[in-house]
Amino acid sequence: MNRRQFAKFSVLASSAIAFPNINYGKERSSKNPIIGHGDFKYKVYQDWGTQSPLKYPVKDCHEMVQDKKGRLILLTNETKNNVIFYSRSGKVLKTWGHDFPGAHGLTLHQEGEEEFLYITDHDRHQVFKTTLDGKILLTLDFPKETGVYDKPEQYRPTETAIGPNGDIYVTDGYGQSYVIQYSSKGEYIRHFGGRGNEENQLKQAHGICLDTRNPDNLELLVTSRGAKEFKRFTLDGKYLATIKTPGCAINRGVIKGKNLYFSVLETKTPWAYDGMVIVLNENNEIVSAPGGSAPKYIDGMLQNMVSDNISFMNPHDVCIDEDENIYVPQWLSGRTYPVKLERV
């Protein structure tokens, strides 16, 4: 049984017995201890977030954010503890959440001195705004106001982004790939995108983020994961441009300084465990691909990216701390816990 076959067996077995894939990453230290390219290279800490599966179980580790206290907040669809707070050293500080079986997207937003979380649940077809202690303050139900949905089951939200005025943007990544815009109070404003092949349409609008790299010209970056690209929109939903990421099924974008980061779920299929992380500069050019091949451009065109097939299984998000270390939660990866990439 080769490594991929064994890993797949471990995922299936762990799904049944609720234990993580303990063999994942064991080849890492001897074969490729440092990953990445150029100025963005990292040492991999495979066991950074590993916990007792009996005390702190996870299913899919979907997304992570960091609050102003430095705590790393993980969202998982395990209803014994949907939300897990980590210290930067990997210690669990607290947990909460038992009601989000389809927990998927996690966004942190600061209003004044207080921070709030936005959680999407594609199984419940809803989006929730909560305090950091888990109190639900706002619930967004399926957007019947749009006129494009007949029933909640057609709507499977995957991500949110919060505009500078508090507007809430929700991507229906596992539904009809619309972006729905609400006021901060949850009042419907508009929708745009939608599944299709036109330049302003999307193929699996999996993620969205507010691009703050040019403060005078804020934009929305919306992932079209099925097409292996992302698209730029104005804050009122007007299409601007498409940036292709050939070979990379990207999740949501994360901004840190002048750089844009994506986790790459896979390049071929989730069962190949061939994900990676990509780092883009302010011109949206890939400058490093930890866990993948060195980015190569020919006549301004990015060439197909390839995974190293060892660093990750199915990366689903990235969280970048103040030292520009990267934390990587993973989907359908044998209940494994987040991985830390320490910048070197």
Side-chain angles (χ1 to χ4, degrees):
M1 184 180 293
N2 62 31
R3 186 187 72 85
R4 291 189 200 175
Q5 290 171 327
F6 186 81
K8 183 187 294 187
F9 173 81
S10 298
V11 169
L12 295 173
S14 66
S15 296
I17 63 176
F19 279 84
N21 177 6
I22 61 173
N23 295 283
Y24 162 58
K26 295 304 180 185
E27 299 172 77
R28 151 65 44 219
S29 58
S30 61
K31 289 195 174 182
N32 195 9
I34 303 295
I35 60 176
H37 308 93
D39 293 332
F40 295 87
K41 294 181 180 178
Y42 304 86
K43 183 176 181 180
V44 182
Y45 288 88
Q46 214 80 48
D47 296 327
W48 171 84
T50 299
Q51 303 295 319
S52 164
L54 296 177
K55 189 174 183 180
Y56 302 114
V58 294
K59 288 183 180 177
D60 303 305
C61 293
H62 275 133
E63 293 193 340
M64 291 188 80
V65 295
Q66 186 179 32
D67 69 8
K68 62 184 179 182
K69 293 182 179 180
R71 300 176 298 182
L72 296 149
I73 308 170
L74 169 69
L75 182 71
T76 172
N77 51 2
E78 171 54 69
T79 54
K80 291 184 179 179
N81 41 224
N82 282 128
V83 178
I84 301 176
F85 283 68
Y86 280 97
S87 70
R88 288 183 62 192
S89 66
K91 178 183 178 182
V92 170
L93 302 174
K94 70 174 183 177
T95 68
W96 57 261
H98 309 286
D99 302 313
F100 306 118
H104 186 278
L106 182 68
T107 299
L108 181 77
H109 183 248
Q110 183 166 328
E111 299 176 21
E113 295 299 315
E114 193 170 359
E115 292 178 304
F116 301 93
L117 296 174
Y118 289 80
I119 296 172
T120 65
D121 189 312
H122 52 64
D123 287 357
R124 293 183 58 175
H125 319 289
Q126 293 172 310
V127 178
F128 304 91
K129 177 183 179 180
T130 78
T131 66
L132 294 191
D133 291 325
K135 180 181 179 181
I136 295 176
L137 304 175
L138 177 68
T139 300
L140 300 177
D141 293 315
F142 91 100
K144 59 184 178 181
E145 305 94 331
T146 62
V148 298
Y149 297 92
D150 297 321
K151 54 186 178 180
E153 289 74 20
Q154 295 174 319
Y155 175 65
R156 293 174 60 80
T158 50
E159 194 61 77
T160 59
I162 312 303
N165 64 349
D167 281 0
I168 306 165
Y169 298 86
V170 183
T171 53
D172 180 21
Y174 291 158
Q176 298 190 37
S177 284
Y178 284 102
V179 180
I180 300 94
Q181 181 181 354
Y182 299 90
S183 73
S184 61
K185 297 180 180 179
E187 303 158 325
Y188 168 74
I189 297 174
R190 65 171 61 87
H191 64 282
F192 55 93
R195 189 187 305 119
N197 297 313
E198 300 299 322
E199 65 178 11
N200 64 330
Q201 293 181 310
L202 302 151
K203 293 183 177 179
Q204 196 178 73
H206 188 271
I208 185 171
C209 76
L210 181 69
D211 190 347
T212 56
R213 291 175 292 176
N214 182 354
D216 297 325
N217 189 24
L218 299 177
E219 297 178 356
L220 297 168
L221 304 181
V222 185
T223 303
S224 186
R225 193 171 74 176
K228 296 183 177 177
E229 62 192 17
F230 65 96
K231 301 193 176 190
R232 296 168 46 219
F233 290 87
T234 65
L235 298 189
D236 57 359
K238 292 183 176 62
Y239 168 81
L240 296 173
T242 298
I243 293 88
K244 294 187 177 297
T245 55
C248 298
I250 51 176
N251 299 301
R252 72 157 165 188
V254 175
I255 302 292
K256 185 70 172 181
K258 292 294 184 180
N259 296 111
L260 169 64
Y261 299 73
F262 286 98
S263 60
V264 177
L265 185 75
E266 40 96 354
T267 63
K268 298 176 183 176
T269 166
W271 290 111
Y273 303 129
D274 58 346
M276 67 181 86
V277 172
I278 54 175
V279 185
L280 292 78
N281 63 17
E282 58 188 343
N283 298 315
N284 293 323
E285 300 165 329
I286 299 179
V287 294
S288 181
S293 56
K296 182 179 181 181
Y297 287 83
I298 298 179
D299 296 328
M301 300 294 291
L302 177 66
Q303 304 304 293
N304 199 65
M305 303 290 291
V306 180
S307 169
D308 65 12
N309 288 109
I310 184 174
S311 295
F312 303 106
M313 295 181 78
N314 294 316
H316 195 271
D317 192 29
V318 290
C319 178
I320 298 90
D321 70 17
E322 55 269 37
D323 295 323
E324 299 188 7
N325 304 312
I326 304 175
Y327 303 84
V328 186
Q330 302 194 91
W331 171 82
L332 195 63
S333 297
R335 299 177 182 266
T336 56
Y337 295 85
V339 176
K340 179 181 178 179
L341 306 183
E342 181 180 74
R343 190 168 180 184
V344 297

